[in-house]
Amino acid sequence: MAQTYCDIASGHEWHGPYHDTEYGFPLREDAELFERLVLEINQAGLSWLTILKKREAFRRAYDGFNPAVVARYGARERRRLLADTGIIRNRLKIDAAIANAQRLLELRASHGGFAAWLDAHHPRPKAEWVALFRKTFRFTGGEIVGEFLISTGYLPGAHAESCPIYQVVAGLSPAWKRGLRTED
C-alpha cells in the first residue's frame, strides 16, 4: 500500500501542523487563496517541505499576500524579490504571482472575489479546472492546479478516509462534498 500524505505528515515538524490544520480545509479569503496559489506555483520542481520552511519569508516578501498590493508591484519590487534569499528566486514564478494578483483584482470586480469565482465554476472535474486556470492565470499546469484545488477543499483527496483529519475537513462542508462530478 502506498504511503499517503497523512502517513508522512503525522508527527513531522513541518508537514504535521500543515496537514492537521490547513491541508484540504476550505479557504474563503482572497489573501489565503492567493497565498496558496503562489506557494503551489513556487513548489513546482521543489519539495513541499522547502515551501513550508520558506513560507514566512514568502509572506513578508509578498506583503502578506494582499492581492491589491502585489498587483501594483513594478520593476523595483521584482528586483527586490529576485534578490530575496528567503524565497524562491525564479523570474517566471515572480512574474506569475504579480500577474495573478492583477487577475484576482479582476475576479473581485466580476465575481466578488477568488472564492466566489471558484464557486461559480464548481463543480467540475480536474481536467476542466486545469483548462480554466490555464486560461485565467499564469504558471498553472495540471499538478499546480490539482494540488491548489485539493489543498483548498475544491477537489477531494487531501486526506485518506482513515485519517482523523478527514472527518474534521468533511465536517467543514468543503466544496468537494457539494456534488463534485466524478467523470475525470
Side-chain angles (χ1 to χ4, degrees):
M1 183 176 197
Q3 259 194 330
T4 67
Y5 188 60
C6 301
D7 298 326
I8 295 165
S10 181
H12 190 278
E13 175 185 7
W14 294 92
H15 291 295
Y18 175 73
H19 169 274
D20 294 351
T21 63
E22 295 183 71
Y23 189 53
F25 286 63
L27 298 180
R28 301 299 303 165
E29 300 299 319
D30 279 356
E32 295 173 323
L33 289 162
F34 180 55
E35 174 184 13
R36 193 66 56 83
L37 182 61
V38 170
L39 295 179
E40 292 295 348
I41 287 169
N42 276 277
Q43 190 272 328
L46 303 168
S47 74
W48 188 242
L49 181 58
T50 297
I51 300 305
L52 289 175
K53 287 180 175 182
K54 292 179 173 284
R55 191 174 189 183
E56 287 307 315
F58 271 105
R59 284 184 177 145
R60 285 189 302 276
Y62 284 96
D63 289 292
F65 293 103
N66 181 333
V69 174
V70 176
R72 293 191 309 266
Y73 282 5
R76 188 174 98 234
E77 289 85 3
R78 279 182 172 84
R79 285 192 302 275
R80 174 182 58 80
L81 292 168
L82 285 168
D84 189 335
T85 59
I87 66 169
I88 307 304
R89 297 177 297 166
N90 177 302
R91 184 177 307 279
L92 293 175
K93 293 176 180 183
I94 290 168
D95 288 346
I98 297 166
N100 291 342
Q102 293 164 351
R103 187 66 176 126
L104 282 178
L105 297 184
E106 294 170 16
L107 296 180
R108 279 183 181 170
S110 65
H111 289 80
F114 197 0
W117 179 82
L118 289 164
D119 291 344
H121 294 287
H122 179 77
R124 62 181 56 224
K126 180 182 171 186
E128 289 180 20
W129 278 115
V130 171
L132 179 63
F133 267 70
R134 283 185 173 154
K135 204 168 65 172
T136 308
F137 298 105
R138 289 181 50 186
F139 212 104
T140 52
E143 290 301 313
I144 291 167
V145 172
E147 201 47 51
F148 169 79
L149 293 167
I150 289 170
S151 75
T152 58
Y154 279 88
L155 287 178
H159 299 277
E161 288 188 34
S162 60
C163 174
I165 305 302
Y166 177 91
Q167 292 304 324
V168 174
V169 171
L172 298 173
S173 191
W176 61 263
K177 291 220 25 132
R178 297 189 307 259
L180 179 67
R181 296 181 311 205
T182 58
E183 58 267 9
D184 118 304

